Amino acid sequence: MSTTTETRPFEAEVAQVLRLVTHSLYSHKEIFLRELVSNASDACDKLRFEAIGKPELLGDDAELHIDIAFDKDAKTLTVRDNGIGMSRDEIVANLGSIASSGTRKFLESLSGEQQADARLIGQFGVGFYSAFVVADKVTVLSRRAGADAKDGVRWESDGKGEYSLAVEDVAARGTSVILHLKEDDIEFADGWKLRDLIRKYSDHVAFPIRMRKQKDGKPADEWETVNDASALWAKPKSEITDDEYKAFYKSLGHDFNDPLAWTHNRVEGSQRFTTLLYVPAQPPFDLLMGARDERRGVRLYIKRVFIMDAAEELLPNYLRFVRGVVDADDLPLNVSREILQHNRQIERIKASCVKRVLDLIEHLAKNDADKFKTFCKAFGNTLKEGIVEDPSNRERIARLLRFASTQGEGAEQNVSLDDYVGRMQPGQDTIWYVTADSYRAAAGSPQLEAFKAKGIEVLLMFDRVDEWMVGQFTEYAGKQLKNVAKGELPLDAADKLKQEEAAKAAEPLVKKLKELLGDRVSDVRVSARLTDSPSCLALSDYELAPHLARLLREAGQDVPDSKPTLEINPAHALVKRVESEADETKAKDLAMLLLEQAEITAGAALSDPAAFVQRMNRALLGTRT
Ligand code: ADP
Ligand code: MG
């Protein structure tokens, strides 16, 4: 019996999410069913988990299931489960507010592009609201497991600004979500259509999804199970088709697209477990957002009982794009997250997951060039984090990385370290790279000139993670990795002699430049790196690359000021002009310009852009003021 009905506004964010969801999903309407079934399935999982300690919660209704019913005349569609249910407070918290911190990120990450935005829904915990894509009114009746019938709740909303809430008798445990279908969406009140959608999206939900049998085109009294209702991962591989694997991925990952690849393994022996892990074809949202907290996407089961999403415990950060299921036979059902974090069995399972995923990526690299290319594009940069994060697998990960190179095809990142090593020149014992903040900046870097002249290949790195990675990654296959802007160059004896002579001859010039530049530089010296450009910066071994220092400063971080070392090319006409310029003011302008152009090509920020422009104009006009 309904007592008092109370009306409340949605939280502002909910109202906004509702508008966006209903707006951006209209070409993927049908996924509302997947979302509601997934919630019903979660509710059954939660009850089964709670009932481990409190079996009485199940009462005489221990068979957990999901029922889908429709009424063409009344234009309703109902998704009902006998899972955990919700109390009044839980309904308010779960359906009226967005507690999850993901919501704001969701709102921010909407691109306005329908296909992309639709992928985001569900991943952010806004799945329930997709009901309003097809319904102009949604009624939820719920009773928490363990609560009395009189403590049931009715929640109702037209999905605009408000919802109503009333205490009402609810006969059985669990939740019914009743959709009052929009005129245009009556098609969903159809037995065939619904069966079809369930098989498409929810076949491997591990609980029976039931519908009434059809008799003479009408629903009869008896129920039948319309999904496979088995845990896909628990079946032998030989009995699973590719389409089933793909469909399971879609229900698991809330992704519309097929996965790129998957790996399914059963481990027997002293410790038994099953892993089914997928690599998506496109970055999931949390990867795009760079979100490192609240990682989701790998579900831990213990003997088929869903325990929790344990992505953080089961996979390292650099494999955070992986989605899947781990089912362990030997863990106690009452594990907590704290226990998982220090559990040896989990550590072993994690190591096995890492191995399987790396095996899978290696397999792609060897056997499927197209897929591997897709992988590198989507996750290559994420994988690089593994070089730092997972030293025990460093060699394996390094072999899977691909870079652009001075001998590659433009900005295409398709040169492996093994390719590089295979092309090394006789006597070369260093893998050279340059870092910058874009392909153009890397490829155009003056530091490359001497390498180009000698035909030595240089890897071009221009992702933010690269600089961080190479900070720890100093050796591969017995070869040193070195930045072309740092340290000694690979000069043979003849080159060395030439270099020394050039330095000697340029001593007065270097002295003059040091005086002109004063405390703007820590040192000036003759470069062995340059052939065409007049100047460049050289870095000491521990110095932060100038473009990175700039990025960090822009991000509000404290970066110690370090004065640059300027290298010059005494053969360059501009450098010669500084040498011959007798007018001190003009000579100073030119010296500063040598420094500033070196800073610009290195991606550093100019400390005084206006002064630079004035100097440049004076130099162009040949004036002093
Ligand atoms: P998500 O499932 O990602 O958390 P949803 O928008 O789909 O986000 O659902 C919001 C919340 O509402 C769920 O987390 C759950 O707590 C609650 N909920 C939704 N449907 C049910 C249901 N059938 N039974 C119990 N709780 C539910
Ligand atoms: Mg959901």
Side-chain angles (χ1 to χ4, degrees):
M1 271 268 76
S2 177
T3 48
T4 49
T5 302
E6 178 192 346
T7 304
R8 297 187 174 200
F10 282 117
E11 259 182 12
E13 281 93 348
V14 178
Q16 196 183 352
V17 166
L18 268 165
R19 268 198 309 279
L20 289 163
V21 167
T22 47
H23 187 73
S24 61
L25 264 186
Y26 62 86
S27 65
H28 294 280
K29 282 182 174 180
E30 61 193 38
I31 68 137
F32 80 90
L33 190 66
R34 179 189 75 187
E35 292 302 322
L36 296 182
V37 168
S38 132
N39 285 349
S41 165
D42 289 349
C44 292
D45 274 331
K46 283 180 198 158
L47 177 58
R48 193 158 60 174
F49 185 61
E50 243 178 66
I52 295 167
K54 285 193 219 159
E56 65 278 11
L57 287 180
L58 291 170
D60 54 8
D61 187 13
E63 297 270 323
L64 301 177
H65 54 83
I66 299 159
D67 290 348
I68 296 184
F70 60 93
D71 183 334
K72 264 201 173 102
D73 300 328
K75 298 173 191 159
T76 59
L77 170 60
T78 302
V79 178
R80 158 155 182 77
D81 65 73
N82 59 349
I84 192 80
M86 286 177 277
S87 67
R88 181 195 159 93
D89 289 349
E90 285 168 331
I91 281 211
V92 171
N94 295 336
L95 306 185
S97 69
I98 296 182
S100 108
S101 63
T103 307
R104 196 147 297 156
K105 287 186 199 156
F106 166 74
L107 291 170
E108 286 164 2
S109 62
L110 286 170
S111 63
E113 197 216 318
Q114 222 187 78
Q115 180 79 27
D117 289 350
R119 287 180 62 228
L120 297 172
I121 291 161
Q123 299 187 353
F124 279 93
V126 291
F128 171 77
Y129 300 112
S130 63
F132 290 101
V133 176
V134 296
D136 45 27
K137 186 168 93 175
V138 176
T139 308
V140 178
L141 297 173
S142 195
R143 177 174 152 194
R144 182 72 163 80
D148 295 333
K150 66 172 177 42
D151 294 323
V153 198
R154 167 190 286 264
W155 179 100
E156 207 159 66
S157 175
D158 61 3
K160 303 249 159 60
E162 297 173 337
Y163 61 91
S164 71
L165 210 56
V167 173
E168 182 171 310
D169 279 10
V170 172
R173 177 194 70 221
T175 303
S176 303
V177 179
I178 305 156
L179 311 186
H180 306 267
L181 295 170
K182 291 179 187 169
E183 208 56 57
D184 285 352
D185 298 304
I186 308 291
E187 51 168 327
F188 290 108
D190 177 274
W192 300 119
K193 173 109 191 167
L194 290 169
R195 281 175 165 76
D196 198 41
L197 289 177
I198 291 165
R199 257 177 243 120
K200 182 166 166 197
Y201 289 119
S202 311
D203 207 25
H204 291 286
V205 165
F207 300 96
I209 301 174
R210 309 188 316 181
M211 288 185 66
R212 287 188 192 277
K213 282 190 175 155
Q214 298 270 107
K215 219 177 246 164
D216 308 326
K218 289 210 162 105
D221 283 345
E222 304 135 76
W223 293 91
E224 62 180 343
T225 297
V226 295
N227 66 329
D228 191 52
S230 69
L232 184 80
W233 64 88
K235 292 185 177 181
K237 278 195 214 183
S238 57
E239 287 172 23
I240 309 175
T241 66
D242 282 3
D243 283 342
E244 286 177 312
Y245 275 122
K246 289 178 189 169
F248 182 65
Y249 166 76
K250 289 179 189 176
S251 68
L252 192 77
H254 295 280
D255 191 348
F256 291 131
N257 303 293
D258 283 342
L260 190 67
W262 58 85
T263 170
H264 183 192
N265 302 283
R266 170 94 192 138
V267 174
E268 301 285 354
S270 64
Q271 194 183 342
R272 284 162 303 160
F273 56 91
T274 302
T275 56
L276 171 53
L277 302 169
Y278 292 89
V279 173
Q282 289 174 22
F285 82 94
D286 50 354
L287 202 72
L288 296 174
M289 306 299 301
R292 291 179 141 252
D293 45 10
E294 294 177 49
R295 266 205 293 131
R296 287 171 71 170
V298 184
R299 294 165 68 93
L300 174 67
Y301 286 76
I302 295 177
K303 295 191 212 63
R304 313 282 172 77
V305 178
F306 173 69
I307 304 298
M308 65 182 91
D309 199 298
E312 303 200 22
E313 288 76 19
L314 293 168
L315 279 175
N317 231 320
Y318 71 99
L319 297 178
R320 62 187 175 278
F321 49 84
V322 171
R323 298 288 177 261
V325 166
V326 170
D327 195 339
D329 290 9
D330 312 313
L331 287 169
L333 281 168
N334 59 357
V335 286
S336 64
R337 200 170 286 283
E338 289 65 43
I339 293 179
L340 284 183
Q341 280 158 359
H342 310 283
N343 182 289
R344 294 188 135 213
Q345 278 169 294
I346 286 288
E347 263 165 41
R348 248 175 266 138
I349 295 176
K350 183 174 177 178
S352 165
C353 287
V354 171
K355 180 180 175 312
R356 296 300 182 179
V357 173
L358 293 179
D359 285 348
L360 180 64
I361 302 171
E362 256 166 31
H363 180 82
L364 291 182
K366 280 202 193 96
N367 304 300
D368 198 329
D370 283 346
K371 282 192 177 168
F372 185 62
K373 207 166 158 184
T374 306
F375 171 82
C376 290
K377 226 173 138 190
F379 308 117
N381 284 333
T382 315
L383 193 64
K384 287 175 187 166
E385 296 172 20
I387 293 283
V388 178
E389 196 185 343
D390 188 0
S392 66
N393 282 303
R394 183 169 284 177
E395 285 274 331
R396 282 195 82 182
I397 297 167
R399 226 175 296 133
L400 294 169
L401 301 181
R402 297 294 181 268
F403 301 94
S405 134
T406 49
Q407 291 180 23
E409 303 146 46
E412 195 79 47
Q413 287 171 274
N414 56 8
V415 174
S416 71
L417 292 171
D418 290 330
D419 294 337
Y420 183 104
V421 171
R423 290 197 284 255
M424 277 182 154
Q425 305 222 339
Q428 185 183 344
D429 56 3
T430 303
I431 299 173
W432 293 98
Y433 63 85
V434 62
T435 62
D437 56 5
S438 70
Y439 165 72
R440 275 168 188 280
S445 169
Q447 277 97 343
L448 298 183
E449 288 169 5
F451 291 86
K452 284 187 186 152
K454 289 188 175 304
I456 297 175
E457 181 169 13
V458 178
L459 299 176
L460 308 172
M461 301 188 181
F462 41 90
D463 189 81
R464 280 185 198 201
V465 68
D466 289 326
E467 190 71 41
W468 179 61
M469 173 187 73
V470 292
Q472 316 248 342
F473 187 34
T474 52
E475 204 186 302
Y476 176 79
K479 318 279 179 206
Q480 298 281 306
L481 270 91
K482 276 193 195 153
N483 188 332
V484 293
K486 290 186 179 177
E488 295 272 307
L489 288 196
L491 300 178
D492 55 33
D495 282 340
K496 257 199 191 117
L497 198 67
K498 244 167 70 193
Q499 167 72 9
E500 276 160 19
E501 280 168 1
K504 188 117 192 86
E507 262 169 17
L509 168 64
V510 166
K511 187 164 167 272
K512 180 171 182 181
L513 279 168
K514 278 188 190 163
E515 277 163 18
L516 290 168
L517 293 170
D519 63 0
R520 291 293 310 268
V521 291
S522 68
D523 195 14
V524 178
R525 62 188 186 220
V526 171
S527 184
R529 290 167 229 271
L530 299 173
T531 59
D532 301 332
S533 300
S535 61
C536 69
L537 298 186
L539 300 177
S540 70
D541 274 352
Y542 300 101
E543 207 170 334
L544 217 47
H547 74 273
L548 191 69
R550 174 172 56 79
L551 289 174
L552 290 173
R553 276 199 198 99
E554 282 165 9
Q557 299 205 32
D558 250 355
V559 181
D561 270 323
S562 66
K563 283 185 204 158
T565 297
L566 180 68
E567 289 198 348
I568 53 156
N569 173 4
H572 195 279
L574 189 58
V575 180
K576 291 198 164 128
R577 259 188 62 194
V578 183
E579 192 170 19
S580 60
E581 181 60 68
D583 182 316
E584 160 110 19
T585 312
K586 282 187 178 178
K588 185 158 185 189
D589 268 359
L590 291 174
M592 280 298 288
L593 285 170
L594 282 181
L595 172 63
E596 283 165 323
Q597 59 180 278
E599 286 174 336
I600 292 172
T601 54
L606 288 178
S607 54
D608 190 347
F612 161 72
V613 169
Q614 285 161 9
R615 249 190 298 282
M616 185 179 69
N617 291 345
R618 281 196 298 271
L620 289 171
L621 294 169
T623 52
R624 299 183 74 221
T625 49

